Amino acid sequence: MAHLLITGGAGFIGSHTALVLLQGGHSLVVLDNFSNSSPEALRRVAELAGLDHDSARLQVIAGDIRSPADLDRALGAAAPGGERVAGVIHFAGLKAVGESVQQPLRYWDVNVNGSRLLVEAMQRHGCRTLVFSSTSTVYGEPQRFPISETCATDPRHPYAQTKLAVEWMLQALETSETGWCIGRLRYFNPVGAHPSGRIGENPLGVPNNLFPFITQVASGQRPLLRIFGDDWPTPDGTGIRDYLHVMDLAEAHGLALDWLMQHQRSLPVLNLGTGRGLSVLEVVQAFETATGRTIPRELVGRRHGDVARLEGCPRLAASTLGWRASRNLEQMCRDGWTWQNANPRGYGG
Ligand code: NAD
Ligand code: UDP
């Protein structure tokens, strides 16, 4: 069992990962500035993990990854038994593609500068084990499927560019200095929620992503889903993505950390997806079947910057970590709907 720092641990993927790690016996420090999340998520994580409300196994620090003082506080926070932080999972960052085009400097500041300050703080504290959240959008618009990790990268917007820049920075760091054990994980499209419906995705304002938009239409908060294009070069003309259950993704982080601590070297870059792409229409139909709700929809033009298809080859993650996404589309729909139905206003409800 280890004492770990999770940056961005109150967010969508971070909160589910925090729960998996607590249930695995680890103790955690979460550093989050709550710019896109709520402390309530962590209160519920503690409840699901069966912790007392003042348990020292989950310490929460409201702070910013761009503040060396906040990073020192987080990395200096010892476990209940006095252990020091042995590894970091770095989720904190900005993730909206459209916003990154409007505000590129903000994305470079939070995603790249924030990551640089984090690894510098890790050097100060003698902690050199790190798992970094990267993204499948670094591949741009590939022509061969499923996408393997050897496929060329072609990041087309500031969000993907900042994520790839951090991957490169981490690669240079481990080349320049021995002792670093780094995992760079390229996620495809995480969706769904913990099956309890107590934690889930909590988008502020109008969701950009398909899944939260569908669940908000199902609950009557939005009148209809706009399907962005039916003229893509795909079998039904709608865009294809590789959706994976957020609990599968959370479990992959536990395995990646175990691997780094056991092997004491870096992981190869890993794709985390199911290997099976689904079209927008397939997702909508599966959601209707799984939940019994009807999703009114209209076809509109393509969304600027979209690509036809993203579908990741999960073979390297399977052979390296022994990880495979095990939950199917029906579970993603059901669990996402349970969360939305129980929390129509997210954590603010
Ligand atoms: P999220 O926005 O729900 O979580 C990010 C968390 O980081 C939030 O709690 C936010 O408050 C916090 N944060 C943001 N800036 C911060 C700062 N400067 N200092 C401290 N905390 C800060 O996002 P998520 O969906 O959980 O994604 C987690 C990570 O995974 C992100 O780095 C994202 O780019 C990456 N990722 C997400 C997806 C996806 O589809 N959700 C796909 C690929 C990669
Ligand atoms: N999409 C859609 N309507 C929406 C949101 C998304 O038709 O309101 C489509 C989008 O064009 C893409 C797929 O759903 O083909 C997944 O989009 P999302 O934004 O969730 O993921 P990303 O494109 O970032 O991989």
Side-chain angles (χ1 to χ4, degrees):
M1 296 317 118
H3 183 52
L4 307 168
L5 167 62
I6 308 198
T7 72
F12 174 44
I13 308 170
S15 56
H16 291 78
T17 304
L19 177 59
V20 165
L21 294 171
L22 287 170
Q23 287 174 333
H26 300 291
S27 61
L28 307 180
V29 181
V30 168
L31 175 66
D32 202 303
N33 68 358
F34 303 109
S35 57
N36 196 35
S37 58
S38 161
E40 174 65 11
L42 294 169
R43 205 190 59 71
R44 296 191 189 182
V45 165
E47 166 201 296
L48 288 168
L51 302 186
D52 295 335
H53 77 280
D54 57 352
S55 171
R57 281 191 56 218
L58 176 59
Q59 303 177 52
V60 180
I61 294 179
D64 200 296
I65 53 165
R66 292 165 298 171
S67 156
D70 291 345
L71 289 165
D72 282 337
R73 227 165 17 115
L75 283 159
E83 300 88 349
R84 300 175 56 87
V85 169
V88 178
I89 305 186
H90 179 33
F91 292 111
L94 303 177
K95 63 169 183 176
V97 171
E99 187 183 66
S100 79
V101 176
Q102 306 299 323
Q103 304 173 28
L105 299 185
R106 195 170 149 236
Y107 273 68
W108 279 83
D109 183 34
V110 175
N111 291 357
V112 180
N113 189 36
S115 299
R116 177 182 65 81
L117 289 165
L118 170 66
V119 293
E120 284 178 0
M122 290 175 68
Q123 285 176 318
R124 283 197 296 282
H125 289 259
C127 172
R128 288 185 168 73
T129 300
L130 173 69
V131 177
F132 171 64
S133 300
S134 190
T135 165
S136 58
T137 59
V138 297
Y139 293 114
E141 190 159 20
Q143 302 303 319
R144 276 189 308 123
F145 298 97
I147 304 164
S148 75
E149 292 83 352
T150 54
C151 182
T153 51
D154 179 18
R156 294 183 172 193
H157 41 70
Y159 170 60
Q161 288 154 4
T162 60
K163 288 290 180 177
L164 192 58
V166 176
E167 286 193 22
W168 287 345
M169 178 180 74
L170 296 175
Q171 195 181 338
L173 179 65
E174 69 191 9
T175 307
S176 70
E177 191 178 288
T178 55
W180 282 95
C181 304
I182 298 177
R184 281 150 293 194
L185 307 179
R186 292 179 180 163
Y187 315 152
F188 282 70
N189 291 55
V191 297
H194 187 266
S196 64
R198 295 292 290 154
I199 55 173
E201 190 168 8
N202 186 30
L204 301 177
V206 182
N208 290 310
N209 297 115
L210 179 65
F211 241 82
F213 207 100
I214 289 177
T215 58
Q216 292 195 3
V217 171
S219 70
Q221 280 180 54
R222 311 214 172 262
L224 49 80
L225 171 72
R226 292 182 308 145
I227 296 180
F228 297 139
D230 67 346
D231 56 350
W232 293 101
T234 61
D236 67 20
T238 63
I240 289 181
R241 295 290 182 277
D242 184 344
Y243 300 94
L244 80 158
H245 197 295
V246 65
M247 288 302 295
D248 280 322
L249 185 56
E251 287 164 7
H253 287 81
L255 293 171
L257 256 178
D258 290 348
W259 193 98
L260 293 173
M261 289 184 170
Q262 193 187 332
H263 291 80
Q264 288 298 307
R265 61 174 193 272
S266 290
L267 276 162
V269 170
L270 293 176
N271 285 342
L272 295 178
T274 66
R276 176 162 179 258
L278 296 160
S279 73
V280 176
L281 287 177
E282 284 174 308
V283 171
V284 172
Q285 278 152 14
F287 187 89
E288 291 184 330
T289 306
T291 64
R293 313 293 293 196
T294 302
I295 304 299
R297 60 241 195 203
E298 69 172 349
L299 276 168
V300 297
R302 293 182 180 190
R303 178 171 66 177
H304 180 69
D306 261 354
V307 297
R309 185 172 169 194
L310 281 175
E311 197 175 21
C313 176
R315 252 185 259 136
L316 192 57
S319 61
T320 313
L321 299 179
W323 175 86
R324 237 176 247 288
S326 64
R327 295 160 180 90
N328 62 21
L329 179 59
E330 188 192 339
Q331 287 164 292
M332 300 179 213
C333 294
R334 229 182 23 227
D335 294 340
W337 175 235
T338 303
W339 154 255
Q340 172 67 39
N341 208 16
N343 307 272
R345 285 177 298 283
Y347 293 112

